[in-house]
């Protein structure tokens, strides 16, 4: 028969409901399976609504099967006398496990390390469902990921209970039979409560475990399944939006939260006054989502419209009062946003600069004003590096490096000014975005406004990168300032703790350098950031090395997450490439090389060469004397290197890394022949030095793109 357990409580925290429901069902079902009361593949259905947590487990036994158990008692030398009689110690041990002297003849002698021990084979009775469910229920409640515990008194007025919310009912049905278990001062029965306002009857008596969801829906006006309720809300949102040829905003977190707030969803269409659309849509969307849990509607161009959707928990015949109520409630919120926007525009961003000096950034790193100056200095240094890069970096046609530098300096200095605006004070999530709006309102160059808006990007994994050159430089400078400063004062991430999101900042730098293929060297960028802090960083060289190591670790993790193998990543990063924009090309080249028939042999040979060269004492010979090439195999290898290396090097310089590595495939035969027929460590010192020089040349030719030895098995 199937089992149903429901805990009926007061309204649960909506942001935690989904996890609470999943954890309650999973832990309870897993405990039943571990006790042998349910099959390991038994179907488990989770229920979670604002006022209940529940689980349905299929094919649960009334009693678990008895289980054969072997217990180790003690060493034979301690358990038995010389004539084989049980010692008092053995009898005491048997009594502790519920057995008497009559089982002594049944005990088994088995090796236990260097000695023998006595073992007792017994049949352990399986748990009854009442016993097993009580254990499972206790475990499920103890392991709930409760965000904050409440303390409340039971009806007796004396007993205190701690739980996420006061609990008022417990249902436990095995088929149609009540399973007598207890929890939180409650004894299980078969009655529960339906919807506060919509239920056909206040108290519902559940007939069987399998009728629970249906009875709640039909008699209680409650969709108990979180997943079903979520799907129903999505269906209604789409239907209402389609009727207006609009699209509801896509926000999974909001959808989850709203699903946790209603038991019988009813989506209604509302509207606000068109005058509010003059406020930046990000402000209106955020206030509707964060404060009211509404779903704004967008047109086909992604622009906010005056219509929005409300997920109501009631479904009256005439919903006009509900619609009007929600429209009335949202109006002051939108009016506040309009007021903040209007007030903020009365003061220029530049006029807010002095105020940044009063905003503490970090106790050891000064104010936001000082930080803005550091970001400006780092951004200026980055522009200089771009202008002098060995690879050409083309800026906009009307944007020479002098102009770019001017824009970058202005954007970097003003980027944090919107922190002092009323709008960002109310909605911190809008920092940067509002700065861009205010910059445009002031008539600042569009490139500067976009840079101010984009300088936090990428804010999260998968976020867009800055859209223009100015924003790219300022975003890099901002992230490098954060990393250099916090590393410089010892605020490094540890384990799972990263309070300043330094891993995210490092990944942001990596993504910008890689995806925009910037001709910038990572060590040079760090070298540009550290001097901006002056005496604030006591050990700049240690900080520099720590940052390089941190970036290398984050880069390796990022590349593996993108699907590259550990071997491929290791081979490329072993050379410590400083221009991260090259890394993807090198990885593609390594993967293509590894697919060649010659790859395994060349990788193994390269590893062997590396090991030989590591053992050389003193300075490695570099001069190759053709006159000292005696064996045919070494002459052939030298000729092959002379033939292949120029082509491989040319392709490398052209950044055709795949072609460069493929050119090396021609070396397989000569390399194999060399190791088959030539003794590297010849007795003649001159001959030995010449062969080592040959291997050094081979090693250098093979390891410009990646350390191919890392591909060897």
């Amino acid at each position: 028969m199937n089992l149903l357990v429901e805990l009926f409580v007061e309204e649960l925290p909506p942001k935690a409901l989904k996890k609470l429901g999943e954890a309650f069902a999973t832990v309870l079902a897993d405990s039943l399976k571990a006790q042998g009361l349910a099959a390991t593949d038994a179907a488990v259905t989770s229920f979670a609504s604002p006022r209940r947590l529940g689980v349905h487990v299929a094919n649960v036994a009334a009693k678990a099967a008895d289980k054969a158990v072997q217990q180790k008692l003690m060493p034979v030398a301690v358990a038995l006398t010389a004539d084989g009689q049980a010692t008092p110690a053995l009898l005491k041990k048997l009594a502790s496990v519920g057995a008497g002297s009559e089982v002594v003849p049944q005990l088994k002698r088995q090796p236990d390390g260097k000695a023998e021990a006595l073992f007792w084979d017994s049949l352990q009775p399986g748990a009854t469902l009442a016993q097993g469910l009580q254990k499972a229920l206790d475990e499920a409640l103890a392991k709930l990921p409760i965000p904050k515990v409440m303390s409340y008194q039971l009806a007796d007025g004396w007993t205190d209970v701690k739980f996420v919310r006061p609990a008022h009912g417990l249902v436990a049905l095995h088929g149609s039979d009540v399973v007598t278990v207890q929890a939180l001062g409650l004894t299980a029965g078969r009655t529960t409560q339906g919807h506060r306002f919509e239920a056909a009857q206040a108290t519902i008596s559940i007939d069987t475990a399998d009728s629970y969801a249906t009875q709640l829906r039909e008699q209680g006006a409650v969709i108990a399944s979180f997943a079903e309720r979520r799907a129903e809300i999505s269906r209604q949102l789409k239907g209402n939006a389609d009727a207006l040829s609009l699209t509801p905003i896509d926000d999974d977190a909001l959808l989850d939260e709203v699903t946790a707030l209603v038991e019988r969803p009813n989506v209604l269409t509302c509207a606000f006054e068109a005058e509010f659309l003059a406020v930046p849509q990000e402000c209106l969307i955020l206030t509707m989502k964060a404060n009211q849990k509404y779903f704004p509607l967008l047109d086909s161009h992604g622009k906010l419209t005056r219509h929005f959707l409300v997920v109501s928990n009631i479904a009256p015949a005439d919903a006009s009062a509900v619609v009007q109520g929600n429209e009335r409630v949202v109006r002051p919120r939108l009016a506040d946003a309009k007021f903040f926007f209007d007030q903020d525009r009365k003061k220029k961003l530049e006029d807010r600069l002095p105020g940044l000096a009063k905003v503490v950034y970090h106790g050891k790193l000064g104010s936001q004003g000082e930080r803005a100056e550091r970001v400006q200095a780092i951004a200026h240094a980055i522009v200089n590096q771009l202008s002098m890069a060995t690879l050409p970096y083309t800026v906009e046609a009307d944007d020479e490096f002098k102009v770019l530098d001017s824009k970058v300096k202005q954007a970097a200095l003003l980027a944090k000014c919107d922190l002092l605006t009323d709008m960002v004070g109310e909605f911190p999530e809008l920092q940067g975005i509002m700065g861009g709006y205010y910059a445009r309102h002031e008539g600042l160059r569009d490139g500067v406004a976009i840079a101010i808006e984009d300088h936090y990007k990428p804010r999260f994994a998968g976020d867009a990168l800055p859209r223009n050159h100015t924003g790219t430089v300022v975003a890099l400078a901002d992230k490098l300032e954060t990393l250099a400063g916090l590393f410089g004062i010892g605020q490094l991430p540890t384990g799972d703790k990263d309070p300043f999101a330094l891993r995210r900042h490092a990944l942001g730098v990596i993504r910008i350098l890689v995806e925009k293929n910037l001709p910038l060297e990572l060590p040079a960028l760090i070298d540009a950031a550290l001097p901006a802090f002056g005496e604030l960083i006591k050990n700049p060289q240690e900080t520099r090395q720590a940052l390089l190591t941190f970036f290398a670790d984050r880069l390796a993790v990022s590349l593996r997450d993108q699907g590259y193998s550990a071997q491929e990543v290791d081979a490329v990063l072993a050379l410590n490439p400083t221009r991260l924009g090259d890394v993807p090309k090198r990885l593609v080249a390594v993967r293509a090389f590894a697919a060649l028939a010659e790859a395994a042999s060349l990788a193994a040979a390269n590893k062997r060469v590396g090991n030989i060269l590591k053992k050389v004492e003193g300075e490695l010979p570099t001069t190759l004397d053709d006159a000292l090439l005696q064996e045919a195999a070494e002459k052939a290898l030298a000729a092959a290197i002379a033939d292949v290396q120029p082509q491989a090097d040319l392709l490398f310089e052209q950044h055709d890394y795949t072609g460069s590595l493929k050119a090396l495939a021609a070396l397989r035969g000569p390399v194999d022949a060399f190791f088959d027929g030539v003794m590297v460590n010849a007795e003649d010192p001159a001959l030995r030095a010449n062969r080592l020089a040959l291997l050094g040349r081979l090693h250098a030719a093979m390891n410009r793109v990646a350390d191919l030895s890392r591909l060897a098995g």
Side-chain angles (χ1 to χ4, degrees), residues 249 272 276-277 279-285 288 296-299 301-308:
I249 197 159
F272 57 80
F276 291 120
L277 291 175
V279 179
Q281 70 176 45
E282 292 89 346
C283 308
L284 304 181
I285 289 172
M288 284 192 283
L297 289 174
L298 310 177
D299 64 18
H301 302 291
K303 295 295 183 182
L304 180 68
T305 68
R306 57 187 293 266
H307 297 283
F308 61 94

Side-chain angles (χ1 to χ4, degrees), residues 274 487 649:
F487 265 71
D649 286 350

Side-chain angles (χ1 to χ4, degrees), residues 654-677:
Q654 294 172 347
H655 301 278
D656 182 0
Y657 301 127
T658 300
S660 182
L661 282 184
K662 285 185 176 180
L664 299 176
L667 295 175
R668 177 187 175 178
V671 168
D672 289 346
F674 177 86
F675 281 115
D676 287 342

Side-chain angles (χ1 to χ4, degrees), residues 71-392:
Q71 291 176 277
K72 176 186 171 183
L73 299 176
M74 60 181 60
V76 172
V78 179
L80 301 176
T81 63
D83 59 354
Q85 298 301 309
T87 64
L90 176 59
L91 295 176
K92 185 177 180 181
K93 178 66 175 177
L94 287 171
S96 72
V97 296
S101 58
E102 70 278 1
V103 304
V104 172
Q106 304 168 22
L107 302 181
K108 293 180 179 179
R109 292 186 180 208
Q110 291 182 11
D112 183 44
K114 295 181 179 180
E116 275 191 320
L118 285 183
F119 291 81
W120 178 42
D121 291 336
S122 62
L123 201 61
Q124 181 177 311
T128 64
L129 180 55
Q131 295 169 333
L133 181 56
Q134 185 66 64
K135 179 181 178 182
L137 184 56
D138 292 342
E139 190 176 344
L141 295 178
K143 291 185 177 180
L144 278 181
I146 298 174
K148 192 173 182 181
V149 175
M150 287 183 64
S151 181
Y152 62 95
Q153 286 185 331
L154 297 181
D156 61 15
W158 295 96
T159 308
D160 281 344
V161 175
K162 294 183 183 297
F163 194 54
V164 59
R165 292 290 185 270
H168 298 297
L170 179 63
V171 175
L173 292 176
H174 187 222
S176 60
D177 299 326
V178 173
V179 184
T180 307
V181 291
Q182 296 181 331
L184 305 175
L186 303 167
T187 300
R190 65 170 68 248
T191 59
T192 187
Q193 305 296 311
H195 195 288
R196 285 189 187 276
F197 312 109
E198 303 281 335
Q201 53 196 72
T203 301
I204 302 168
S205 178
I206 305 300
D207 298 329
T208 69
D210 293 344
S211 68
Y212 170 76
T214 302
Q215 284 187 260
L216 268 183
R217 184 188 288 267
E218 295 177 355
Q219 299 172 26
V222 171
I223 301 175
S225 166
F226 188 96
E228 287 183 26
R229 211 162 55 253
R230 192 180 193 274
E232 174 61 18
I233 293 173
S234 293
R235 185 190 67 77
Q236 291 189 37
L237 288 172
K238 185 178 185 306
N240 285 41
D242 286 349
L244 297 171
S245 299
L246 300 175
T247 304
I249 197 159
D250 185 14
D251 190 324
D252 284 340
L254 177 62
L255 183 55
D256 283 342
E257 189 174 359
V258 170
T259 302
L261 287 168
V262 299
E263 290 187 313
R264 183 188 183 185
N266 178 34
V267 175
L268 303 171
T269 303
C270 306
F272 57 80
E273 289 78 0
E275 66 184 82
F276 291 120
L277 291 175
V279 179
Q281 70 176 45
E282 292 89 346
C283 308
L284 304 181
I285 289 172
L286 189 56
T287 192
M288 284 192 283
K289 284 168 45 178
N291 295 322
Q292 305 303 136
K293 314 305 175 190
Y294 295 160
F295 288 83
L297 289 174
L298 310 177
D299 64 18
S300 58
H301 302 291
K303 295 295 183 182
L304 180 68
T305 68
R306 57 187 293 266
H307 297 283
F308 61 94
L309 300 178
V310 175
V311 183
S312 174
N313 195 34
I314 56 175
D318 180 6
S320 59
V322 180
V323 171
Q324 292 168 11
N326 280 283
E327 291 176 344
R328 185 172 61 252
V329 167
V330 78
R331 195 172 294 120
R333 294 287 188 181
L334 302 182
D336 286 346
K338 185 176 185 302
F339 175 77
F340 292 149
F341 185 57
D342 291 340
Q343 288 298 111
D344 286 342
R345 288 183 297 171
K346 293 178 181 179
K347 189 174 184 179
K348 291 184 177 181
L349 291 175
E350 187 176 2
D351 294 338
R352 298 181 188 273
L353 271 172
L356 288 179
K358 302 174 184 177
V359 180
V360 175
Y361 167 53
H362 189 284
K364 294 182 179 181
L365 295 174
S367 67
Q368 286 285 3
E370 293 170 298
R371 186 187 181 201
E373 291 175 358
R374 290 195 295 266
V375 173
Q376 186 186 55
I378 297 168
H380 171 63
I382 293 173
V383 173
N384 285 341
Q385 290 185 22
L386 284 171
S387 66
M388 295 184 293
T390 53
L391 289 176

Side-chain angles (χ1 to χ4, degrees), residues 411-579:
L413 199 61
L414 300 179
K416 304 298 179 186
C417 288
D418 67 353
L419 295 176
L420 300 175
T421 63
D422 291 337
M423 188 71 83
V424 174
E426 180 72 14
F427 300 112
E429 303 93 329
L430 295 177
Q431 54 190 286
I433 294 171
M434 295 314 303
Y437 276 107
Y438 298 142
R440 290 187 189 90
H441 172 73
E442 294 172 22
L444 298 183
R445 289 172 288 186
D446 193 49
V448 172
I450 291 174
I452 292 173
E453 182 178 342
D454 286 1
H455 83 279
Y456 288 107
K457 293 181 178 179
R459 296 171 185 255
F460 50 86
D463 190 21
L465 298 182
R467 289 166 287 176
N468 64 10
H469 299 288
T470 309
T472 296
V473 172
V474 177
L476 275 176
D478 183 67
K479 291 168 176 56
L480 287 166
E481 191 278 340
T482 301
L483 288 158
L486 291 167
F487 265 71
I489 61 172
Q491 297 281 353
L492 282 66
T494 56
D496 293 334
K497 294 183 179 179
D498 187 8
F500 299 102
L502 298 184
R503 293 186 180 94
R504 177 168 57 80
H505 281 87
L507 285 172
V509 172
I510 289 168
R511 279 194 60 201
I512 291 172
L513 293 176
V514 170
E515 294 179 31
K516 288 186 173 287
N517 194 23
L518 297 180
L520 296 169
E521 307 284 332
L522 181 60
L525 289 173
I526 294 173
D527 290 340
L530 292 173
F533 291 87
E535 298 298 318
L536 293 176
I537 295 179
K538 305 301 182 186
N539 299 298
Q541 285 306 311
E542 289 182 16
T543 302
R544 180 182 192 272
Q545 188 54 51
L547 280 168
L548 287 172
T549 302
F550 185 67
F551 271 109
D553 290 343
R554 302 324 303 161
L555 178 59
V557 170
S558 173
L559 294 172
R560 289 196 292 269
D561 289 345
Q562 292 172 43
Y564 294 105
S565 71
Q567 273 188 323
E568 292 167 343
V569 172
D570 192 27
V572 171
L573 298 191
L575 299 187
N576 296 316
T578 56
R579 207 175 78 79

